[in-house]
Amino acid sequence: MTRPTGDPFADGGGTGRLMARLDWAATPLGPVDGWPQSLRAAVRMVLSSRYPMLLLWGDRFTQLYNDAYSALIGDKHPDALGGDVRVTLAEGWDVLGPLIDEAMATGVASWVPALRLLLDRAGYREEAYFSVSHAPARDDEGRTVGVLTVCSEVTEQVVGERRLRLLRDLSVGGDGRTVDVRSTCARLAEAIGGHPLDVPFAAIYLREGALLRRAAHVGGEPVAAALPATLPAGEEHEWGLAAAAGGTTTDVAGVERRLALPGGPWGDPVGTARALPLPSAEAGQPLGVLLLGVSPSRGLDEAYRSFHALLAQQVAVAVRNAQAYEEERRRAEALAELDRVKTGFFTNVSHEFRTPLTLMLGPLADALNDNEHPLSATQRERVDTAWRNATRLLTLVNSLLTFSSLEAGQAHSQAREVDLAGLTTELASVFRAAVERAGLRLEVDCPPLPRAVSVDPVNWERIVTNLLSNALKYTFVGRIRVGLTADDDEVRLTVADTGIGIAEEDLPRLFERFHRVQGTRSRSHEGTGIGLALVRELARLEGGDVRVESRIGTGTTFTVALPWSAAGRRAGPAADLAGAGDAARAAVQEAVGWLADPTQAGASAPAGPPVPAYGATDALRRARILVADDNADMRAYLARLLGEQGWRVETVGDGRQALEAIRREQPDLLLTDVMMPGIDGFELVRRLRGQAGTRTLPVVVLSARAGGDASVEGLDLGADDYVVKPFAAAELIARVRSALHGTRRHHRDDADGPGDTARGADGPVPARSPASDDGPVDAGGPPVSGPPAAPGPEPSVGGDGEYAHDGDRRPAPEQPAALETGWTYPAQPTSAAAMRRDVRASLEDLDVDPDTVADLLLAASEAVNNAVEHAQRPTRPEVRVRLRVADGTVRISVRDFGTWRDRRPAMDRGRGATLMNAYGDVRLVSTAEGTTVTIERRLPPAAGH
């Protein structure tokens, strides 16, 4: 044997120095001087390495190791030096022993990644993981006398990867596939339950008002029995739930006294838990609490705490998503229920409409076809208008009924074997006259198909009719082409036009019900907005679908494709097509109205003698009125109605034509519909009010859009009056006459200068002088109806613009006014429009800011309406309005002559006082003689006088 030389512990670091001082003679290895060269060399190699290495030598497995290894065994160092490894690692020897014995017995090295060991190196039974290699150690004669172990701890990597898997499983469990909050919590608990080494038990508590309710838990019945099911969110509890519900993470010790639950790889009792708040979108108001058990085999270090925080965030995100989905589902269910109710309503109403429509259409048709008692030309025109529009209403009702049936899933296809080419050609031919009248070409290419087709002929008629009607509505030059082709897969109907086209961004929503492409040019604004939606639903009901291709300025092509599997289905007997085309003919009849020359309505209704039924004769004969409406029948009706009053009427079909007509010759009044293609009624009013030459042109807006918002929008833009369809002829004529009176008064005031005028039923008249205040009104025509005024003193205007009641007229101590004038109106609803005309004209003469004028007109209109509606038993059936502009302030006072009457809440629109106070300083004085409302508004500096 070669004798050893040199110090084997030299340069061995701290462990080497400890080994040099150790009494090796007291160990199985004996004195260092007696060590064989192989042992000394092995020790030098171990001590010189920075990698954790352990050398076991002899049958007593004596330990020699380096600094790196000493860190792995914790507080067992340095006592382990020279000792038996079976004692040092006794808790893990059941795992290490077989590996070491195998290396000793076979002389073959081994390697084990992520070997789990139980270590007691930090005061508790720790779960640790090592990558370990065992190689045989030989003496100088080559005999295996020990084992060289090279190892590295991978505990953090193994535990970290395991925790990441749990976080991933939570994200999958709360990914929104389960939109119910309770089910989501159950899936989260299931995911957490799959990782007991890190989370021995858990519970999810969610806030419900002032309570915390357990939504799910992990750990079985023992956990359910130990934890409360519900508790007040602010009540202190041994599990720290109240503090966590307030936003503070709490560590809970002594868990083993309340819950006997094993944990970790070796089933040690769980002694610690943590209560963490589940963060929400609102700071300081957590969604709930996540209670987590801590593994007894892992230290509660910073990494473990961070893992818990991530776990709480992941659970909170999943719960928030589930709550959002649940809320969205409830909202969708509410909308679906509303949709069902609406569908049922449409169905019921459509059915109910059919009875009166039948009783209208029958007698009207009988009257038109009665040869024994023929109608006069005038009556025939009236009855024919009623019959056409009743027929149109029936078509709309049928469309709504069909659509509601499709929406409710109650529609069915009554498939019949039909000659599809012949049926399509016949339906397209119904449109030929209308298409050619529009100056377009209709091309029909529908050759016979190679085999029979089974479809519902009624549904097919509606599909073809809606597509052709749509093409005619939006095509102004060129052609409309209808084609029918087939191949081995499907039958295709194409309806192509050279119309205005559709923007690409509008195509995805084209088949949505009630969707309209805004701002597009069309022949009419009329329609329900369900035509193309009906085409898609009917095509799908027949087993096919519809698609569209379009380019702006080039045209649009609709293609309805029916696969042969649907077109060749079993069908009933061959269809009788004798009634085919009824829906198409109704659509064509409506389309003809779009094509009517708007000027012909006025020409057909020349000015005639006034009709006393609609009001007394006046001095406004030969006034010129421009009517703008896209419905031909409505234009004709208005032209005839207004012409019978002796007024000259010109009609146009949309806002653009109205502007052109006004530029050619300005009328005395414009009567315009709101819903028109291109430039609608509101835009028309906006443009007229923006031009000096038409700023004072009287405008009456006529629309089917009912409701306060619509009327306020129209009046705010500068309209003089707003009439809602359906209207009484007498009401419309009264409102038009009132607006015309305002124009005549304004023209006369321009010539005579401002003054105090009264407005009777038929025109403006001089207002009373103070001496005649108690006498009858001289209206210059028929007197205002009503009892004579009661004698007595009249309230005077005080310095603040209100009425004093001392019986004497006192002068107002005010600065000289730039404008002071007034008017007297009959106490009737149309007076508000006349007042707006007069006040607007007076203020615009002073170049008052248009926005200020609009605000004051809204406030004054409400004051006049209140005076008309609230004055009870008036001594004078009139309303007085005074306007004063002085010292940079506009003051409008409105006075009635009756006692105040409070309206019932059901009668109150609730916006009068709000509007008045929003646009000026309002004061109100009410006495037995009447009520005066005063509205004041400071003018902008640039507009002061």
Side-chain angles (χ1 to χ4, degrees):
M1 174 182 297
T2 303
R3 300 309 301 166
T5 60
D7 183 4
F9 309 121
D11 301 325
T15 303
R17 288 190 292 273
L18 288 173
M19 293 171 69
R21 293 196 297 267
L22 187 66
D23 182 11
W24 289 100
T27 70
L29 297 183
V32 176
D33 293 342
W35 287 6
Q37 184 63 34
S38 54
L39 174 58
R40 298 168 70 89
V43 170
R44 288 193 190 95
M45 179 183 67
V46 168
L47 290 176
S48 64
S49 175
R50 293 191 175 187
Y51 209 74
M53 298 182 71
L54 168 68
L55 176 63
L56 304 178
W57 195 272
D59 55 2
R60 302 289 294 273
F61 297 115
T62 302
Q63 303 170 89
L64 301 99
Y65 52 83
N66 59 9
D67 285 343
Y69 181 83
S70 68
L72 300 183
I73 59 175
D75 56 9
K76 294 185 177 185
H77 171 73
D79 294 341
L81 283 172
D84 192 333
V85 73
R86 291 171 295 186
V87 176
T88 303
L89 301 179
E91 65 272 17
W93 190 250
D94 59 334
V95 176
L96 289 172
L99 298 174
I100 292 173
D101 290 342
E102 181 181 1
M104 293 281 290
T106 64
V108 177
S110 66
W111 178 74
V112 180
L115 179 68
R116 184 168 68 189
L117 292 178
L118 172 60
L119 296 182
D120 190 359
R121 58 181 177 178
Y124 64 93
R125 289 158 55 85
E126 181 182 357
E127 171 193 7
Y129 295 85
F130 296 87
S131 291
V132 181
S133 172
H134 296 95
R138 294 179 173 87
D139 61 10
D140 293 349
E141 284 76 29
R143 295 174 301 172
T144 300
V145 294
V147 174
L148 179 63
T149 301
V150 181
C151 61
S152 63
E153 185 170 5
V154 291
T155 303
E156 295 300 327
Q157 295 93 314
V158 172
V159 174
E161 290 174 2
R162 189 173 68 202
R163 291 171 178 173
L164 283 176
R165 285 196 298 272
L166 172 53
L167 294 174
R168 183 203 62 196
D169 293 345
L170 283 179
S171 67
V172 173
D175 63 354
R177 291 180 295 174
T178 303
V179 298
D180 178 81
V181 172
R182 182 175 295 276
S183 300
T184 297
C185 289
R187 292 181 64 179
L188 292 171
E190 181 182 0
I192 294 173
H195 297 76
L197 293 180
D198 293 303
V199 187
F201 74 91
I204 301 173
Y205 284 85
L206 297 182
R207 186 185 295 273
E208 292 183 3
L211 290 178
L212 285 177
R213 185 179 301 277
R214 192 177 70 221
H217 69 277
V218 176
E221 287 301 323
V223 173
L227 298 179
T230 60
L231 77 159
E235 181 179 296
E236 288 299 328
H237 195 270
E238 59 184 357
W239 291 98
L241 299 175
T248 303
T249 299
T250 304
D251 291 349
V252 183
V255 171
E256 68 278 2
R257 297 192 299 271
R258 299 185 288 270
L259 175 61
L261 188 72
W266 299 284
D268 298 325
V270 177
T272 306
R274 303 188 74 216
L276 297 96
L278 294 176
S280 70
E282 300 180 17
Q285 186 73 9
L287 291 173
V289 176
L290 178 63
L291 183 65
L292 298 172
V294 177
S295 171
S297 303
R298 294 296 305 159
L300 189 55
D301 54 13
E302 188 60 33
Y304 209 164
R305 293 178 183 275
S306 297
F307 164 67
H308 282 164
L310 291 173
L311 200 61
Q313 290 179 3
Q314 194 74 41
V315 170
V317 169
V319 171
R320 286 204 303 269
N321 288 341
Q323 289 176 338
Y325 278 120
E326 200 170 61
E327 180 64 27
E328 186 65 27
R329 186 183 65 185
R330 284 195 293 267
R331 189 160 45 245
E333 289 173 351
L335 290 174
E337 177 61 26
L338 181 64
D339 202 49
R340 284 191 292 272
V341 171
K342 181 186 66 180
T343 299
F345 169 77
F346 276 133
T347 301
N348 294 334
V349 168
S350 299
H351 278 296
E352 291 301 319
F353 277 171
R354 287 187 169 192
T355 298
L357 279 173
T358 301
L359 296 176
M360 290 167 57
L361 286 168
L364 289 173
D366 292 343
L368 290 171
N369 297 323
D370 191 347
N371 294 324
E372 293 185 10
H373 304 88
L375 299 172
S376 65
T378 301
Q379 295 299 329
R380 172 171 289 276
E381 182 180 356
R382 292 173 176 171
V383 173
D384 188 56
T385 299
W387 178 82
R388 284 198 310 273
N389 284 276
T391 301
R392 178 170 180 262
L393 182 57
L394 179 61
T395 301
L396 294 175
V397 167
N398 288 337
S399 295
L400 285 174
L401 185 59
T402 300
F403 197 80
S404 64
S405 298
L406 289 166
E407 287 284 289
Q410 298 173 351
H412 303 285
S413 173
Q414 303 294 330
R416 297 290 186 269
E417 187 175 306
V418 298
D419 176 6
L420 197 62
L423 176 59
T424 306
T425 300
E426 179 181 345
L427 294 173
S429 299
V430 175
F431 280 82
R432 185 172 298 279
V435 171
E436 292 177 351
R437 182 173 177 179
L440 307 173
R441 298 193 315 276
L442 177 63
E443 300 175 0
V444 181
D445 182 16
C446 299
L449 297 176
R451 57 179 115 163
V453 175
S454 296
V455 296
D456 187 327
V458 175
N459 290 344
W460 188 256
E461 179 177 353
R462 288 173 177 157
I463 290 172
V464 176
T465 297
N466 276 300
L467 291 178
L468 278 170
S469 179
N470 187 77
L472 180 57
K473 190 174 187 177
Y474 295 100
T475 303
F476 295 88
V477 293
R479 63 180 177 83
I480 298 174
R481 185 180 186 280
V482 180
L484 190 68
T485 59
D487 55 23
D488 294 337
D489 299 321
E490 60 187 12
V491 179
R492 289 182 297 275
L493 166 71
T494 58
V495 177
D497 62 58
T498 56
I500 60 174
I502 305 164
E504 185 176 355
E505 60 268 21
D506 290 315
L507 291 177
R509 300 192 60 197
L510 195 61
F511 295 102
E512 292 182 10
R513 56 182 176 173
F514 310 123
H515 174 69
R516 288 176 179 266
V517 179
Q518 299 297 322
T520 57
R521 181 188 178 196
S522 65
R523 297 187 184 276
S524 173
H525 197 278
E526 295 176 342
T528 59
I530 64 173
L532 292 178
L534 196 59
V535 168
R536 182 175 66 177
E537 295 300 325
L538 290 174
R540 291 177 175 177
L541 186 64
E542 293 300 319
D545 209 342
V546 61
R547 57 182 180 269
V548 60
E549 298 174 359
S550 186
R551 290 182 59 189
I552 292 290
T554 301
T556 304
T557 300
F558 288 92
T559 302
V560 177
L562 293 179
W564 281 112
S565 58
R569 58 191 157 158
R570 291 186 59 183
D576 180 8
L577 302 181
D582 290 345
R585 280 185 281 273
V588 168
Q589 191 176 71
E590 179 181 354
V592 168
W594 308 338
L595 305 174
D597 184 354
T599 62
Q600 293 304 308
S604 64
V611 179
Y614 295 148
T617 60
D618 53 39
L620 297 174
R621 293 192 62 187
R622 309 304 297 171
R624 184 169 172 272
I625 298 176
L626 177 64
V627 174
D629 198 300
D630 62 335
N631 184 284
D633 283 334
M634 182 58 70
R635 290 196 301 268
Y637 173 67
L638 292 173
R640 183 174 65 249
L641 181 65
L642 299 175
E644 289 171 349
Q645 307 307 305
W647 298 327
R648 294 174 297 153
V649 182
E650 179 183 355
T651 60
V652 293
D654 56 40
R656 192 176 305 279
Q657 295 176 14
L659 289 175
E660 295 173 354
I662 292 171
R663 277 194 287 268
R664 289 194 305 269
E665 181 182 0
Q666 184 164 317
D668 295 305
L669 180 139
L670 169 65
L671 179 63
T672 178
D673 188 22
V674 171
M675 306 292 284
M676 295 187 295
I679 298 177
D680 63 16
F682 287 158
E683 178 62 22
L684 176 59
V685 174
R686 185 181 294 108
R687 295 193 184 188
L688 292 175
R689 293 300 178 240
Q691 299 175 8
T694 56
R695 188 168 296 157
T696 60
L697 173 65
V699 178
V700 176
V701 174
L702 187 66
S703 176
R705 291 176 58 184
D709 291 342
S711 61
V712 167
E713 182 180 1
L715 297 176
D716 191 40
L717 289 173
D720 296 276
D721 210 343
Y722 191 98
V723 182
V724 177
K725 301 175 185 176
F727 52 81
E731 178 193 6
L732 177 64
I733 289 174
R735 294 189 181 222
V736 170
R737 180 180 288 114
S738 177
L740 287 171
H741 277 311
T743 307
R744 295 300 173 88
R745 188 217 61 78
H746 179 57
H747 291 333
R748 191 181 68 186
D749 286 351
D750 287 344
D752 299 339
D756 192 357
T757 60
R759 185 178 299 281
D762 297 300
V765 298
R768 303 178 186 85
S769 65
S772 63
D773 276 345
D774 295 325
V777 178
D778 179 11
V784 177
S785 60
E794 177 180 349
S796 63
V797 180
D800 59 355
E802 298 175 355
Y803 284 90
H805 298 279
D806 56 1
D808 298 322
R809 174 80 69 178
R810 298 197 302 267
E814 297 181 342
Q815 298 297 324
L819 171 67
E820 186 166 10
T821 185
W823 306 270
T824 300
Y825 305 96
Q828 60 188 33
T830 57
S831 294
M835 179 278 302
R836 286 194 296 272
R837 165 61 51 201
D838 295 334
V839 172
R840 183 197 303 279
S842 298
L843 292 177
E844 288 178 347
D845 286 345
L846 296 177
D847 292 330
V848 176
D849 176 66
D851 291 338
T852 303
V853 173
D855 293 348
L856 288 168
L857 289 178
L858 278 175
S861 294
E862 289 299 327
V864 171
N865 288 332
N866 286 339
V868 172
E869 296 173 2
H870 289 206
Q872 189 173 16
R873 294 187 298 276
T875 58
R876 298 177 182 174
E878 61 191 39
V879 177
R880 286 189 180 181
V881 178
R882 294 193 64 83
L883 171 65
R884 177 183 175 86
V885 182
D887 196 25
T889 301
V890 177
R891 177 185 300 155
I892 300 175
S893 62
V894 178
R895 184 189 179 192
D896 62 58
F897 294 89
T899 58
W900 188 262
R901 177 186 65 190
D902 288 328
R903 291 190 293 180
R904 297 190 305 274
M907 299 170 59
D908 195 356
R909 292 169 294 177
R911 63 183 175 93
T914 302
L915 281 175
M916 286 190 286
N917 283 284
Y919 297 127
D921 296 327
V922 180
R923 295 188 298 276
L924 181 145
V925 174
S926 182
T927 69
E929 288 82 11
T931 299
T932 300
V933 175
T934 303
I935 305 163
E936 282 193 1
R937 173 76 173 264
R938 292 289 299 175
L939 294 174
H945 294 277

